[in-house]
Structures are given as C-alpha cells and as structure tokens.
Amino acid sequence: SQTIHQWPATLVQPVGSPLSLECTVEGTSNPNLYWYRQAAGRGLQLLFYSVGIGQISSEVPQNLSASRPQDRQFILSSKKLLLSDSGFYLCAWSKIATYEQYFGPGTRLTVT
Amino acid sequence: QKEVEQDPGPLSVPEGAIVSLNCTYSNSAFQYFMWYRQYSRKGPELLMYTYSSGNKEDGRFTAQVDKSSKYISLFIRDSQPSDSATYLCAMRESSGTYKYIFGTGTRLKVLA
C-alpha cells in the first residue's frame, strides 16, 4: 500500500529565516505530487505540482519554491520566510490512471 | 463565481441522524469527484471517489453525482460523534490539467 510522509510535523521559524519541508511517497512510482497551503478557516491553496523529476509548475510565485530531486520526493523551500507564510502545509500525491489524490499528515508552520 | 461552492456550516446533528453534505460547481468538464474528511490539525483523508455521474456506497457513506445539475452530495447514515470533522469536496477534469478544485469545507458536529 502507498504511504505519504511529511516532516517536520510542526515548525516555528522567525521572519527572514529559510525553510525546507520534505515529503516522500512510498509504494508507488511516478506519482503526480502537490504542495498545498491551508490557512485557518480557508480552503486549500495549490502552491506547486510536479508530474516528474525536475518538473515543477508554480501556482503561487511569491517567495516559495519547490523541487523534486527524486521520483517520490518533493521539497518545499523558501530563502526568507514572511509572516504571511504561516499555515498548514500539505503534500499530496495522485494516481495517474484514476486521479485519486491522497494527502500527507501536514506540517504546521508558524512564522514569528 | 467560485468554481466550487460549499456551505461552510457548522452543521450540528444528533447522533444517529442522516447527514447530507453538498457541493455545487460550474465547470461542466469536471469528471472526477472526491470527498475528504479532515479532523482538526490533520491532513484530509479520502473518503469517497466517483467518476462521472451516479452513486457510490461504502459502509455508512454514499456519494452522489448529478452532472446535469452540477451538484454532488455525500450522505452519512447513522452518524456518530467520531464523524465530527470538516468535509471537503474536490473535483477535476479528465484531461488538460493536473489541478484539483476544492470546496472550502463544511464543518460537521455530531452531538452525542
């Protein structure tokens, strides 16, 4: 069966510090991978998606970036965090054939 | 107009009640429809997945898709306090995009 991992689970970072969130998927090959942000009381905002190694599509340019160095690894980064980057970050993967999408446990980021 | 509309609730029901959760959408190209359950501070969990129109049943859960009305529903029978969560609908087209469009979620409270 497939499993998706995210770490860290919780992160408190000062404004201006860098960020690296990691997501890995087990039990499947060549998944489509996604990063979402969920602000309190609001819907899911798509940040990035990837259909293959090194292939990243950005929906929200801002100060975030994503990379996919391996087939089942997706990384979300920032060089300098802003207060507005606080939120719940979710990684997801989807099946190619059926489009079912599965989410990881999330990382709660607080920028202080 | 948002592509997907979902009543935010909260919806409070007594234990044992039948719960009806709904989403409307505007894009007639949507073919894949999903319902997620999200507990507080957790990642969304895929509950039901439906392709095109029709009904799908899984235990106490039934998903319905009416493409002619652009309306999808999730029914929960014999609701339990453990069903208290936020329910998100999601949908996507069959081709031409990798994006999923989400509703903002309905908060459900099942009272013991």
Side-chain angles (χ1 to χ4, degrees), chain A residues 3-57:
Chain A
T3 309
I4 180 168
H5 303 280
Q6 279 187 253
W7 64 91
T10 306
L11 193 59
V12 180
Q13 292 283 92
V15 168
S17 64
L19 173 73
S20 181
L21 302 181
E22 190 163 342
C23 170
T24 58
V25 181
E26 295 178 357
T28 188
S29 296
N30 196 30
N32 290 336
L33 296 173
Y34 300 78
W35 278 112
Y36 292 90
R37 178 169 58 204
Q38 188 176 38
R42 299 177 67 179
L44 289 164
Q45 179 187 25
L46 177 63
L47 301 176
F48 300 94
Y49 66 91
S50 171
V51 300
I53 295 173
Q55 299 178 64
I56 309 294
S57 294

Side-chain angles (χ1 to χ4, degrees), chain B residues 50-99:
Chain B
T50 310
Y51 169 68
S52 195
S53 285
N55 294 359
K56 186 173 183 179
E57 187 174 321
D58 184 2
R60 296 185 296 113
F61 299 92
T62 299
Q64 285 186 353
V65 175
D66 182 349
K67 292 191 70 182
S68 62
S69 301
K70 297 190 182 69
Y71 189 87
I72 68 170
S73 301
L74 177 70
F75 297 96
I76 307 174
R77 290 182 297 280
D78 187 25
S79 56
Q80 303 295 310
S82 58
D83 295 326
S84 298
T86 296
Y87 290 79
L88 301 162
C89 64
M91 45 201 82
R92 66 161 284 169
E93 299 176 24
S94 60
S95 63
T97 179
Y98 295 96
K99 299 181 193 178

